Amino acid sequence: MIEILSYGFMQKAFISGIVLAIACSLLGMFLVLRKFSLIGDGIAHISFGGVATGLLFNITPFIGALLFGLIGSFGILKLKEKSHLHGDAAIGIVSHISLGIGIFIASIASGFNVDILSYLFGSILSIKTKELFLSIFLALTVITFILIYHKDLFYISFDEESAKVSGIKVNFLNSMLIILTAITIVCSMNIVGLMLASSLIILPSSSALQIKTSFKKTLIYAVFISVFSVISGIIIAYYFDFAVSGTIVLINAIIFLSLLIYNKVYLHNP
Amino acid sequence: MESIIQLENIYFSYANSEAIKNVSFIIKRGDFVGLIGPNGSGKSTLLKIILGILNPQKGSVTLFQEDLKKFNDWSKIGYVPQKATNIEKNFPATVYEIVSMGLLPIQKFPKVITKHEDHKIKGALSFVKMEEFADKRITELSGGQQQRVLIAKALVTVPEILILDEPTTGVDKENQKSFYELLGKLNKKGMTILLVTHDIGRITQYATKIASINQKLEFYGSHKEFCLKDPAHKHQHKLCLDKG
């Protein structure tokens, strides 16, 4: 264990992994409760276009993904508002356009296909220092925002109409939730890759919801499960030479299934 | 008596269909108004207009003598939505946490529950006889119990008016009776109540005024006048007279 921590790349992996795990689980709880969880997948597709554009124009792909993610999330909000489409259709349209841009660019500039793979599947062990600091800063911003507004977001998740009547800024918070998701997805790109980026948003929260307790405890359990899966995922992947992203997601899947079975078989919860 | 809600010539349409046509009435302090009408008559739409969720195409809404667009003291209004049957089975919240949501409009950063607020939450729960369920998950309760919790949430800021949208939907008859008795008790204590319902029989027993709408306002007056105006519904008529 001490040996692992003596490597600089492992220290970076643990620090960025833990901070992102906290941001993803906090954000994920509200997205899952609001049935917005698949927006993470949509934004991951959008960010792929940004990665490809970044590689083509020699801009840091992280910045390209972040710009595409933010512009795309605004696009989803506007398309939903102006065209009266349902949220899932708006997510599908914007994400597939961006995914199309990414695939088109990758096909005309075949030289960087190997680089693209590391963004699709994650490369936490090769995270650059600049990206590490930016990821930590952005993830801490997300965590701070959620901690400040978690009660308002909790109220909106329970009943949006009543929250509006209580004077809570529902439209502002809904927009922020999507923008923060874009930031978080791009930040998690290095850990689990764009293909699995939304897994850290959906799985720990869904696992915590199986414990069936108060909101406060559910949120704490989600954070704990998320951090545990990232730490254990990195350690197992290091010792057994597995892919880190896949290992983290599989640990999350095992936790979710174990809690689900425990709930159904032992507690007989419906 | 001071006016709490004043509607003047309200018109509202959804795309091509007119939902509300020229509705005007005043709810005064201490009134218990039953807003009734058949399905699709515009009851819930009118309620959403009063609460500022929908904007009328014409007309004005005044809350506590202030134009709705300028009104921001939402802690004066307790709102109970038609929610009990819609709570997600997986929603992770205790009864205490749900009631504490009601305090958000008056809480200041960092919005940590103070001793005084804790007392208010427990007081509201005790009023609706749900104090012993404070640590239970809301999803473990029956529809009637959930509705009581939502009333406690609405009462926790000690509002001046309680607005309820079809609150007894999905609640069994026995619990409906105790629910209406609870509202009657609140009204006797001086709270103004606006209740949207299609349960004409029950509402005429408890409300002091009836607003009957079917796109247009068909009737607005005391429950007695309402019953006498429409004696064809003998059952309702009897309930009205029983109330005295």
Side-chain angles (χ1 to χ4, degrees):
Chain A
M1 184 68 195
I2 293 165
E3 180 211 333
I4 271 194
L5 292 173
S6 65
Y7 299 118
F9 68 92
M10 289 307 280
Q11 290 167 2
K12 283 185 204 167
F14 278 117
I15 295 169
S16 59
I18 290 169
V19 178
L20 256 307
I22 297 170
C24 284
S25 51
L26 288 176
L27 193 64
M29 181 57 70
F30 298 104
L31 292 173
V32 169
L33 288 177
R34 308 218 56 209
K35 301 186 186 84
F36 279 175
S37 43
L38 280 179
I39 197 172
D41 268 332
I43 291 174
H45 288 163
I46 293 169
S47 306
F48 177 74
V51 169
T53 310
L55 287 170
L56 181 70
F57 293 106
N58 229 1
I59 305 165
T60 313
F62 183 86
I63 302 294
L66 192 60
L67 283 175
F68 265 60
L70 288 173
I71 294 167
S73 58
F74 273 115
I76 291 169
L77 288 170
K78 284 288 156 204
L79 192 64
K80 194 176 158 224
E81 187 188 310
K82 301 285 176 198
S83 66
H84 300 292
L85 282 169
H86 284 295
D88 55 348
I91 293 168
I93 290 169
V94 178
S95 66
H96 288 111
I97 290 173
S98 187
L99 192 58
I101 293 172
I103 293 171
F104 179 77
I105 291 175
S107 70
I108 56 167
S110 52
F112 56 71
N113 283 353
V114 177
D115 293 330
I116 272 194
L117 286 181
S118 71
Y119 291 99
L120 282 176
F121 299 107
S123 57
I124 194 170
L125 302 181
S126 59
I127 190 166
K128 296 179 183 86
T129 310
K130 216 196 264 176
E131 287 182 3
L132 171 80
F133 283 123
L134 193 56
S135 284
I136 290 175
F137 170 75
L138 291 173
L140 286 176
T141 310
V142 173
I143 293 168
T144 309
F145 184 89
I146 298 280
L147 290 179
I148 291 172
Y149 287 102
H150 76 282
K151 286 196 173 179
D152 304 70
L153 289 166
F154 175 48
Y155 197 173
I156 296 173
S157 306
F158 179 66
D159 183 1
E160 188 169 310
E161 201 171 275
S162 296
K164 219 176 221 177
V165 173
S166 296
I168 288 170
K169 292 164 187 150
V170 173
N171 293 338
F172 163 73
L173 289 172
N174 277 342
S175 303
M176 283 308 293
L177 209 55
I178 292 179
I179 292 164
L180 295 180
T181 306
I183 294 172
T184 310
I185 288 288
V186 176
C187 290
S188 1
M189 183 171 73
N190 286 314
I191 301 176
V192 284
L194 286 175
M195 291 287 281
L196 296 170
S198 66
S199 61
L200 275 181
I201 283 183
I202 301 172
L203 281 165
S205 312
S206 302
S207 298
L209 283 169
Q210 299 305 316
I211 299 169
K212 301 196 184 300
T213 180
S214 68
F215 173 71
K216 200 174 165 184
K217 284 184 185 165
T218 308
L219 207 55
I220 293 168
Y221 283 130
V223 171
F224 176 77
I225 291 168
S226 188
V227 171
F228 171 79
S229 69
V230 168
I231 293 175
S232 55
I234 294 172
I235 295 171
I236 293 171
Y238 173 80
Y239 283 110
F240 294 94
D241 200 19
F242 295 155
V244 179
S245 57
T247 311
I248 292 172
V249 174
L250 285 178
I251 289 169
N252 267 300
I254 291 166
I255 294 170
F256 174 75
L257 288 172
S258 309
L259 287 168
L260 184 71
I261 292 166
Y262 180 74
N263 233 333
K264 298 279 175 199
V265 178
Y266 292 99
L267 302 179
H268 302 289
N269 272 324
Chain B
M1 199 75 83
E2 180 197 351
S3 99
I4 302 283
I5 295 174
Q6 188 167 353
L7 302 178
E8 272 181 83
N9 311 109
I10 300 290
Y11 285 83
F12 185 87
S13 301
Y14 288 107
N16 297 322
S17 68
E18 222 167 10
I20 304 285
K21 289 181 206 169
N22 196 23
V23 170
S24 305
F25 61 81
I26 298 173
I27 296 175
K28 291 183 175 166
R29 190 175 289 281
D31 282 347
F32 184 159
V33 179
L35 179 59
I36 59 167
N39 283 339
S41 59
K43 305 183 295 286
S44 292
T45 302
L46 193 61
L47 200 66
K48 284 178 180 165
I49 290 171
I50 292 170
L51 294 168
I53 298 167
L54 293 175
N55 292 319
Q57 276 95 25
K58 263 198 236 172
S60 69
V61 180
T62 312
L63 299 178
F64 296 90
Q65 287 120 46
E66 201 174 341
D67 188 87
L68 177 64
K69 285 167 195 146
K70 290 177 190 160
F71 183 79
N72 59 10
D73 193 357
W74 292 100
S75 62
K76 282 183 175 174
I77 297 174
Y79 172 54
V80 181
Q82 188 185 333
K83 182 72 184 170
T85 49
N86 301 328
I87 296 175
E88 288 284 330
K89 277 186 185 169
N90 231 5
F91 198 83
T94 61
V95 165
Y96 185 93
E97 285 174 329
I98 295 288
V99 179
S100 72
M101 284 177 187
L103 286 170
L104 277 173
I106 54 167
Q107 276 184 312
K108 294 209 164 66
F109 186 77
K111 297 180 182 176
V112 176
I113 293 169
T114 61
K115 265 194 178 173
H116 177 62
E117 286 167 346
D118 174 66
H119 194 68
K120 276 184 170 180
I121 294 168
K122 285 177 180 160
L125 278 172
S126 157
F127 185 78
V128 297
K129 297 194 172 83
M130 290 297 291
E131 202 178 8
E132 61 186 292
F133 296 91
D135 295 326
K136 277 243 172 207
R137 275 164 64 95
I138 184 93
T139 49
E140 290 170 6
L141 307 181
S142 70
Q145 289 172 323
Q146 288 180 346
Q147 208 54 271
R148 282 176 175 271
V149 173
L150 295 182
I151 291 199
K153 172 179 149 289
L155 293 178
V156 74
T157 53
V158 196
E160 292 179 36
I161 181 168
L162 189 61
I163 299 178
L164 308 100
D165 186 7
E166 306 260 12
T168 52
T169 306
V171 176
D172 63 68
K173 279 194 173 170
E174 202 164 303
N175 276 311
Q176 280 186 20
K177 190 171 178 280
S178 61
F179 180 78
Y180 277 102
E181 280 168 3
L182 181 69
L183 294 183
K185 196 169 130 190
L186 281 167
N187 184 238
K188 277 195 181 127
K189 283 188 166 190
M191 185 171 287
T192 311
I193 293 174
L194 169 61
L195 188 148
V196 173
T197 183
H198 58 262
D199 184 359
I200 303 177
R202 191 76 75 179
I203 192 66
T204 44
Q205 277 183 289
Y206 294 91
T208 55
K209 280 183 183 166
I210 299 292
S212 169
I213 68 161
N214 198 353
Q215 273 83 52
K216 289 179 181 173
L217 186 68
E218 292 188 327
F219 176 84
Y220 189 67
S222 74
H223 78 286
K224 269 188 187 174
E225 287 169 323
F226 174 73
C227 296
L228 293 169
K229 178 182 168 282
D230 193 11
H233 302 291
K234 282 183 184 167
H235 175 63
Q236 291 156 23
H237 186 57
K238 186 180 174 300
L239 289 170
C240 290
L241 296 178
D242 282 351
K243 189 194 174 192

